[in-house]
Amino acid sequence: MKKTILFFAFLFIGVSTSIANNVQLSNVSISNAGSGQITVEFDLSWDNSWRVNVGPANYDGVWVFFKYKLNNGKWTHLNLTGNNNSTPSGFSIFQNSGVNKVGAMIYRDASNLGSGNVSATNISLGVINNLPYDIDIRAFAIEMVYVPEPPIGRPVFGDGDGTTESTNALHYSNNYSTSNSNLPIYCDANSFDDSKLTNDGIYVDKNDTIQTLNPISALTAFPTMKALWCMKYEVSQAQYRDFLNTLDSLQQSKRMDAAPNSAIGTKLFGITPVRNYLEIAIPATSTSAAVIGCDANNNNIFDQSGDGEWVACNFLNWADMAAYLDWSGLAPMSEIQFERMCRGNSSAGANPSVLGEFAWGDTTIMKVPYILTNSGTEAEKVSNASTIAGNAVYGLTATSANALLRSGVFATATSNRVTSGATYYGIMEMSGSVYEYCISIGQNAGRSCKYVPNGDGVLSANGNAKLSVSGAGYWPGMEGNSSTTTAQNCFGTCEVTGAGGIRLRGGAVTVGTMPSISDRGTLFVPTARSHDRGGRGVLHLR
């Protein structure tokens, strides 16, 4: 069985020249040892990996997945089987249940404690047995962080002190932040949440369920506190470029503003998008899709070392983000998961809340515009980052030149959780940068997102996220639902084209916003693309 291998590397988000995370897939090949024994083989390395068994008691890993095509054909997701897998000593593989595995998580095993750069060679993953001959393969990798289930009690939600709290924060009925598993959470009456949250209260259960009835009774499925993996960084412009470059012209046209057959150098998101460098590199024709590239210096030479591919990707509406997540086998997070991934739990119990705190656990924050050096490169950094306060790109630190930054830019050899802007579990940019798309607990459209399946790697013909017809799970915005009150359903195309049930969390570069993690007061147009919208996904463990 002859295979033509097109290696497609992700040089991933870097922290600085010397400690760039630099995820690399190499030596990708297909091995055929007989019927039922076809594997994809590769080497994997990344920098600044860790596994700890105290404190957050977590680790990082890399989500890998593959696409293939025949000559001049369309890119197809390569399903894995879970059979004939192997890794070198010190590493493990996780794959979700089910016959077809969308991808695989490669991570340090329990014997491989510590931190630093890691390399795993001769990894093998079993693939489907009916691959055609003479195919091209593209390999993709996304750096992730494992978030364990709370070992004791439940996390704290909201930041109220009995008198003051962040805008529309979750709380007990007495306006204190919540940490008691026997009492429901509430929110003050507002234009975003319905009476279930503002009047009745909602009990958040540890087993990915909530209770919405008053008096409290039956359990309803909703993503809350089970263990999961979360993208360490927001989707980068390189990632979105590479996603678009596996779609056909019709699919591409739904995931960007520019027409795929626009002239070379046409920007994907408006004439002067704020620090978004995605452009048409090769226009689409009647027989081929467009090729997308990054071009920060506007010289029509694409994907050069200074062309900005490491910068977080903005101008993504919810349908765009949903499509990316489905294509990569990931899923949206809930706002309950967002808060607990920021604040965290340890073996000693829930970490307490601090009024107005940011993702790094306190209220200190840089308030002077940042100055960039090595702009647009993988070595992009901030020369005046605070060495004491938390660092984040938001209204007071952003300018037109630094409205978004290289993901992970504040993590350096000398930074700590606060100055790097990291959450308790080591997830970056959960405060500031671009807004995070989260499933709302305060709207019927959000609470009806039961089970929340991971993506299957396959988009609809229109380039939209598409869930299984009559399937067990739901995402926000299915069947075009943009209502906050209408429950999600999957009775027709099951495509995600609306945004009902989505809430923006985490603050952004927008002037006048503060990126406190308990703030739930953001207004937005559900289907709009904007310079302050992007985000990330999670992998639910099932």
Side-chain angles (χ1 to χ4, degrees):
M1 179 180 287
K2 178 185 176 184
K3 303 293 179 185
T4 302
I5 303 301
L6 172 61
F7 170 55
F8 196 76
F10 258 104
L11 290 182
F12 229 55
I13 306 304
V15 184
S16 74
T17 302
S18 61
I19 60 169
N21 286 340
N22 196 24
V23 174
Q24 297 189 59
L25 280 166
S26 58
N27 299 321
V28 182
S29 64
I30 292 288
S31 174
N32 183 3
S35 178
Q37 299 185 63
I38 302 176
T39 57
V40 57
E41 300 180 349
F42 57 95
D43 299 334
L44 175 67
S45 64
W46 72 101
D47 295 350
N48 302 307
S49 171
W50 78 86
R51 179 158 187 153
V52 295
N53 57 9
V54 296
N58 77 329
Y59 39 91
D60 71 341
V62 176
W63 175 245
V64 297
F65 57 99
F66 306 86
K67 310 284 179 176
Y68 73 93
K69 72 170 183 176
L70 294 168
N71 291 336
N72 300 316
K74 292 184 178 181
W75 288 104
T76 300
H77 193 82
L78 178 60
N79 285 318
L80 308 177
T81 64
N83 302 320
N84 304 308
N85 291 348
S86 67
T87 59
S89 176
F91 293 90
S92 290
I93 297 171
F94 170 81
Q95 293 177 291
N96 277 310
S97 61
V99 176
N100 292 325
K101 321 291 185 183
V102 178
M105 191 74 69
I106 314 297
Y107 60 98
R108 292 170 178 251
D109 65 23
S111 70
N112 195 359
L113 296 175
S115 61
N117 304 343
V118 294
S119 178
T121 58
N122 299 319
I123 300 172
S124 295
L125 300 173
V127 302
I128 56 175
N129 199 37
N130 58 346
L131 279 179
Y133 287 82
D134 297 318
I135 60 174
D136 293 340
I137 290 181
R138 289 186 174 180
F140 301 87
I142 299 176
E143 197 168 356
M144 308 284 285
V145 174
Y146 178 72
V147 179
E149 180 177 311
I152 298 177
R154 73 173 189 177
V156 175
F157 301 110
D159 59 2
D161 63 1
T163 303
T164 307
E165 63 184 5
S166 293
T167 304
N168 295 331
L170 302 172
H171 56 224
Y172 286 143
S173 58
N174 58 8
N175 285 333
Y176 279 98
S177 58
T178 72
S179 60
N180 189 314
S181 61
N182 298 316
L183 296 174
I185 61 173
Y186 295 85
C187 180
D188 292 337
N190 61 74
S191 59
F192 307 113
D193 299 304
D194 59 24
S195 61
K196 290 293 183 185
L197 185 60
T198 60
N199 295 335
D200 297 342
I202 296 173
Y203 175 82
V204 177
D205 189 80
K206 190 173 182 178
N207 195 32
D208 269 9
T209 55
I210 56 176
Q211 299 178 31
T212 59
L213 298 181
N214 190 9
I216 297 298
S217 56
L219 293 172
T220 299
F222 187 78
T224 60
M225 285 182 261
K226 284 187 176 180
L228 75 159
W229 288 86
C230 180
M231 289 177 64
K232 183 183 288 187
Y233 307 109
E234 293 159 335
V235 175
S236 70
Q237 293 183 36
Q239 287 175 291
Y240 201 70
R241 171 201 65 198
D242 299 337
F243 158 66
L244 292 174
N245 284 336
T246 65
L247 308 185
D248 63 33
S249 295
L250 175 59
Q251 292 173 321
Q252 288 177 336
S253 70
K254 304 297 184 180
R255 304 280 66 90
M256 57 194 197
D257 289 336
N261 62 354
S262 299
I264 294 174
T266 300
K267 297 184 181 300
L268 299 195
F269 301 108
I271 298 174
T272 56
V274 181
R275 223 169 180 235
N276 188 294
Y277 304 123
L278 294 169
E279 298 179 3
I280 302 290
I282 301 176
T285 68
S286 59
T287 58
S288 62
V291 175
I292 309 302
C294 292
D295 188 22
N297 59 12
N298 294 310
N299 64 356
N300 283 354
I301 303 175
F302 298 91
D303 304 326
Q304 294 176 295
S305 61
D307 274 339
E309 61 185 275
W310 296 273
V311 176
C313 191
N314 53 356
F315 289 96
L316 304 183
N317 62 23
W318 164 238
D320 297 331
M321 180 57 60
Y324 178 85
L325 297 180
D326 189 15
W327 170 88
S328 59
L330 301 178
M333 72 180 88
S334 73
E335 59 175 326
I336 293 297
Q337 292 170 322
F338 171 84
E339 284 204 28
R340 81 174 182 89
M341 288 192 292
C342 289
R343 193 170 284 120
N345 256 58
S346 71
S347 58
N351 293 330
S353 67
V354 177
L355 180 62
E357 70 184 313
F358 306 110
W360 47 89
D362 68 24
T363 59
T364 66
I365 191 168
M366 177 73 164
K367 296 181 180 180
V368 177
Y370 290 123
I371 300 171
L372 287 188
T373 61
N374 303 316
S375 178
T377 72
E378 64 176 330
E380 179 175 286
K381 61 182 180 180
V382 171
S383 62
N384 64 332
S386 176
T387 59
I388 300 174
N391 286 290
V393 185
Y394 70 109
L396 295 182
T397 59
T399 68
S400 59
N402 66 13
L404 287 173
L405 301 178
R406 174 179 60 80
S407 294
V409 68
F410 299 116
T412 69
T414 59
S415 63
N416 53 32
R417 177 188 171 188
V418 172
T419 57
S420 68
T423 74
Y424 179 72
Y425 294 108
I427 305 167
M428 308 302 296
E429 281 91 44
M430 291 284 259
S431 282
S433 190
V434 289
Y435 282 115
E436 307 282 344
Y437 287 108
C438 296
I439 305 170
S440 173
I441 196 174
Q443 303 168 353
N444 188 42
R447 292 191 301 271
S448 66
C449 292
K450 303 175 181 179
Y451 184 67
V452 189
N454 297 313
D456 63 3
V458 181
L459 300 183
S460 74
N462 288 320
N464 298 315
K466 178 180 172 64
L467 277 68
S468 299
V469 177
S470 301
Y474 304 92
W475 285 14
M478 295 181 67
E479 306 285 358
N481 181 18
S482 287
S483 165
T484 62
T485 59
T486 302
Q488 307 298 333
N489 210 328
C490 185
F491 53 83
T493 65
C494 298
E495 297 181 36
V496 177
T497 55
I502 281 291
R503 181 183 288 279
L504 300 179
R505 298 294 297 266
V509 297
T510 307
V511 174
T513 64
M514 288 295 282
S516 59
I517 61 175
S518 294
D519 191 305
R520 302 177 61 253
T522 304
L523 278 168
F524 72 106
V525 179
T527 57
R529 293 188 173 110
S530 175
H531 73 284
D532 57 2
R533 295 177 197 170
R536 76 188 82 213
V538 299
L539 181 74
H540 297 292
L541 307 185
R542 301 191 174 102

